[in-house]
Amino acid sequence: MDDLEQAIVISFETGAVDSALKSQAVTYCQQIKETTSICSICIEKLWFSKLVQVQFWCLQTLQDVLRVRYGSMSMDEQSYVRKSVFSMACLEVIDNENAVRVVEGPPFVKNKLAQVLVTLIYFDYPLIWSSVFVDFMPHLSKGAVVIDMFCRVLNALDDELISLDYPRTSEEISVAARVKDAMRQQCVPQIARAWYDIVSLYRNSDPDLSATVLDCMRRFVSWIDIGLVANDAFVPLLFELILSDGLSDQFRGAAAGCILAMVSKRMDPQSKLPLLQTLQISRVFGLVSGDVDSELVSKVSTLLTGYAVEVLECHKRLNSEDTKAVSMDLLNEVLPSVFYVMRNCEVDSTFSIVQFLLGYVSTLKGLPALKEKQLLHITQILEVIRIQICYDPMYRNNLNLLDKIGLEEEDRMSEFRKDLFVLLRTVGRVAPEVTQHFIRNSLANAVESSSESNVEEVEAALSLLYSFGESMTEEAMKAGSGCLSELIPMLLTTQFPGHSYRLVALVYLENITRYMKFIQENSQYIPNVLGAFLDERGLHHQNVHVSRRAGYLFMRVVKLLKSKLVPFIDKILQNLQDTLSQLTTLNFASRELSGTEDGSHIFEAIGIIIGLEDVPAEKQSDYLSLLLTPLCQQIEAGLVQAKAASSEDFPVKIANIQFAIVAINALSKGFSERLVTASRPGIGLMFKQTLDVLLRVLIEFPKVEPLRSKVTSFIHRMVDTLGSAVFPYLPKALEQLLADSEPKEMVGFLVLLNQLICKFNSALRDILEEVYPVVADRIFKVIPRDGLPSRPGAVTEELRELIELQRMLYTFLHVIATHDLSSVFLTPKSTAYLDPMMQLLLNTSCNHKDITVRKACVQIFIKLIKDWCAKPYSEEKVPGFQNFVIEAFATNCCLYSVLDKSFDFSDANTHALFGEIITAQKVMYEKFGNAFLMHIMSKSFPSAQIPQDLAEQYCQKLQGNDIRGLKSYYQSLIENLRLQQNGSHTSLDVYSIVNVYLRGDKLYLTHNHVLRLEPRPCKVVPVHTHSLRQICCYFFLRFVNMPTISVGRDRLFAALGQSYTQEEFEDLCFRFGIELDDVTTEKAIIRKEKHIDEEADDDEEIIYKIEIPANRYDLLCLEGLAQALRVFNKKQEIPTYTLADISKDKLLKMNVKPETSKIRPFVVCAVLRGVTFDEARYNSFIDLQDKLHQNICRRRSLVAIGTHDLDTLQGPFTYEALPPTDINFVPLKQTKSFRADELIEFYKSDMKLKKFLHIIENSPVFPVLYDSKRTVLSLPPIINGAHSAITLQTKNVFIECTATDLTKAKIVLNTMVTTFSEYCARKFEIEPVEVTYDDGKSYIYPDLAVYDMEVPLSYITDSIGVSLEVEQVTSLLTRMQLHAEQAKSSDNQCAIKVHVPPSRSDVLHPCDVMEDVAIAYGFNNIPTRKPASIKPLPLNELTDLLRIEIAMNVYTEVVTWLLCSHKENFAMLNRVDDNSAVIIGNPRSADFEAMRRTLMPGILKTVGSNKDHPKPIKIYEISDVAMLDESKDVGASNRRHLAALHCGATSGFELIHGLVDRIMEVMAIPFVKSNDNNGYYIKLSQEPEFLPGRQASIVVRGKQIGNFGIVHPQVLNNFDIPDPCSFVEIDIEALL
């Protein structure tokens, strides 16, 4: 060996070798690599060196040099390299007996030789080296070695250039197209012929080689002429190979792969269908019945599923009935085998079972009737669903115990099942009878199985039944249509095997609850229902999770059955005796409580039953006494014991009392006021006695909040139950609740008072006159006259409570005023508080940021004016009140607050407030007469610079009777005044704000002045004309796919140094350019995912989910976010990050071995010294790594982060790349050692890590990091070693980032260390690490250098559209963590020099600086200007004008979902499905199956969900509906509709009719006689959703554009609306 060979061998050495010697060897190799003659050296070594290390190094070096220097080589040198590499690949022997055959080397050397040849092809084919493939062909006759090499070259060509499975640059795509075009013209036919000849020749003698050739061919089928392979020669050969038993599975599978490639080739369906026919795929059907674990069965299964997908796709795209019939025949032929594969084989991950089956079922929807074969297929689909939804028996015990593994498996299956249940419901609509029969048979088979080994099948059968019920109408369920009349009795009368298991028991009880509508109509099954809930299947189940859930479901069942359960009361109470006994003992607090399933539901259920009037009075009293007595005794005994209890026992005693109160409260819910006070006063007496007992709780423990709140809740209950009989108890109760109450407790007290006032009105006057002065005294001592700050600031928990108290005070005063109790304010005890109350109401009505609160205060003033002021010139009832109203309220609220630019007329709530202000002015004129007019004419209007003529016109309007005209005039007056104040005399343009919003995957810019879009709009910003493009880009970058971080609210507020209300924090987020997306708790997330109806515990930690910009990596954790917000709020200086001052010889070192260049060539490192972790910091540290891995690291493919406890390691460290068999270590969270290749197999079943395995799985070497003792730190990018795992006790953290992208690695490392260096012993100091590469070059990381950027001041100010001084800009940038100072640009213009810290990797361009200035300045503070180049679309302009007009008619706008269920589109509107709806292909939920055809379902659902809202309800919506439209390329189009609804004690038909007339009036469309096409008229209609004879069609210019009428009672019942409604819907596009 010469020196170079020795150096190469040493550099590749992985065993014990002197590090200095190895470093010298690496350096020497690098020096040789940089010589100009390196190509000649490599080629010479390749010809004569037998060392595989030397061969690989030379090939790798040759490839690297060619990529970098090939274009600069001379033509002779290029030719020399081409000929030499080609000769080696073709086995052309040179004239030297010592020559080495590289193509006979190991596979990794041959692969590298192929890659070198492909590199030459990349540069030279076809322009310079046009004959490369043609020249290769004759050499194939040399045998297997050259054939194998030829296949490797073609495979490398596919991997390195052609295949689109890997990301490609535009240049690579262009070269690939060039190469493919040339090969098609020149050599592809010869290559295809060679494939055929080689396979035919070697099929028996060398099947492995033949399999290699077929695998190579499979890759090329997608882009070559299909006729070259799908012909009479190739196809029979391939099928012959597949069907030959004597051949290996690998060979036969390769043949199947070629057929699949032909099937999957993208072709016109007219051309593909004959190809699919000629394949005669049925020949391989029998092969899938073999060993399901064999490679052949897997390949054939993939072939069959792929074939079925392509046939189905052809069927969808074909138009001819004949060709459709052919494709359906092919599909029917293959489907049985596909179903078999789905049931028994491992399906390829790229094949979606649900998507395919939904596609097939959709083809059956349009058929008039299903044939026998199709019905059989439906049955097989159902069987596939049944098998797929079965749980794995290996998790049976985990699911029963519901441990961590069980929870994870249940969550996984719950998510997995969603699509399958959607498929089930779709099948149920296509073939309801078949579906029901299948479910019946599944249940029957489950019943017949006496063994508990089939628990999972039983659960699956019951789940099918439950899911099927979700798609049934209420009428069908009641009638027991289909097999339901057989299924439900079977369900109720059968003891299912496995009932002792949690999943079976739960789904069984859920099914009974689901089908209660059937049982309501068939009361003979009630005993069976009770038996299921009362025996060991329900409330007495051995599993606590089942018994608790059963209590809640039992309550739901009782609510539905009610009086039908009266005959069974004794049986129910007898069976529940032991359960009630447990719940009413003093040991209950030691039991684990679980939200709403804590046992109180049982008491509520019993209360509903025994509270019915059908129960005999005597028995009712006995039952109630039997339940109330032990509970009251428990409270009394608990009070005694709690007094004497120690500090440890006290919470337990309080919990006992608390539960007893909750149980009594639940029990009382079943008793109505009429029964308790009128028909059976004895019951009322029992509740009064109970109330006496509970009031003692307030006396004994007035400051224990849980008890106080529960007793208050019971008093609320008794107000509704006892009615006026509760009066004698109120003084005592109110006295106890008011005693020493804190602001937080006062809120609950005011809520109770509001209920009492609404319930008893003036009857409460005497009590209120005594209570109000005390309440006012307490409140006005803590709330100032001008109110609490409604803007963000220093918000503590105490201040938050006061803000909530202030809000409730407004409601309290509003309730008093609107219930004719305003005289309470004027009693001698109350007059002292009149002045602070008036000042507070005045300030709030003018300035509060919540418009609804302002409106309430204006309404209070209106009512007080009416109550306290007589007609003009009469004696004042309240001296000074008239002057206060005229001088303060009329001027400040009715004029100046409206003039403020924040008063937005386009907002519906603000428009409603404006209407109340107009009403107030009208009332003041009626009450004060000329005194009011003189003041506004002489003082108010002149002070606002209102011209005399306009003021006189206003007075004329005010004195008239046209309230609408007054409102319209006053609005125009205010708008003109605003313009004058701004110095502009142009007309006001309401389209001065550009709305930026997302819908689907597109970014939209509109000009609507009101943002009412769904699903969620972005924020609204003013746009300067020339900066429109920048703002669009800003929104696109910041609001598309923004990452979300979850942080604990309390910990975040602690880090910020102050507390906020939710509104204040949302405002802070908006001002900083982020968004508070959701407020939840960890338990709430779990409950939501599991669909558990539970109330939140008081002690659950509040979680804020915050959306941040995708490029702000420094905000991905609480530490970075809190620091940024502190700097933004000027509570912290910008941190300065420094490197620890350590001499170079003492630096930790990381040595990088040359072989790492084969896989992940870069590594960067750093150390955090003296870190202090607690659990929250530790979790945040780990979470930041995960967020970075998902974001900038691109799922670890670009960068992988490893963090280690440095104290467990010994430097220096080495970063190497070794064969997987040479790596052995104990991975994180494991206890035994694994070899790296074994570890890859082990993690293939790991849900989290398996998605990263592909990054290194197929590489001959794996990256690995060692310390000096050869302890493995990590195997990037898969897993860290267990030895160096960090814990809460870790003090020194070593961070390493291995990467394929050095720039991103530096960013990731900087983000990690700058974010968490605040926890170091020396704050913001990071210890560097020296990284040395094999070429001897060394680098110090992290790189904390500050990057300087100069930005012209004019660029910033012009882009934003505001004028700012240098000092202002630098101050604003400081708030965004950017140091800045004034600088002079090259053209002597003023510029800003910005110092970008290492934590702000997102700042790359002056536009980033401009963006930060805009954020800190505040988007809402930027003046609004109309972009000159943008005009509103006529439809949008009309929409907005109609919105304003309808809002002026006191209708509230709603925005409902664009999607709805199939039932809501048709059945629930009394409509028959006419196939006119736009159907969603693969809906995620039954609630969102189709596009809405009308706005009616959404509006009715809104009313149904708000039926307890005060009447009347007047709502409207203007939005899009979808219609099938064959003229459109997508088959459907949108239409803009207007809909409005009135719901109240009467239908309001005349009001809806009046709204129609008003719309036509503003559209200048006159009312005409029938059949006159010059205006509009109405005519009788027959729409099923309306009441017959009470409906009409709207005809405009001869075209019907809408309907209105009284909604049919059946439709109202479908949407659970108890009150009559009238509805109108108009297609407004027809009005344009």
Side-chain angles (χ1 to χ4, degrees), residues 1457-1480 1486-1498 1501 1521-1524 1584-1585 1611 1614-1615 1625:
W1457 296 109
L1458 291 166
L1459 302 179
C1460 64
S1461 70
H1462 184 272
K1463 290 193 299 184
E1464 290 164 356
N1465 245 345
F1466 295 103
M1468 294 179 72
L1469 298 181
N1470 287 350
R1471 286 192 171 275
V1472 178
D1473 185 357
D1474 57 0
N1475 295 320
S1476 61
V1478 179
I1479 305 299
I1480 304 301
D1487 294 331
F1488 302 113
E1489 297 175 302
M1491 295 287 290
R1492 59 186 178 192
R1493 300 167 54 257
T1494 165
L1495 299 178
M1496 195 173 197
K1501 284 170 69 178
V1521 300
M1523 305 290 186
L1524 291 177
E1585 59 264 37
V1611 174
N1614 292 340
F1615 287 92
E1625 184 162 0

Side-chain angles (χ1 to χ4, degrees), residues 1046-1049 1078-1082 1085 1101-1105:
S1046 299
V1047 295
R1049 180 196 65 186
D1078 191 14
V1079 180
T1080 183
T1081 66
E1082 288 188 10
I1085 295 171
E1101 182 188 10
I1102 302 298
I1103 302 295
Y1104 277 180
K1105 290 188 173 181

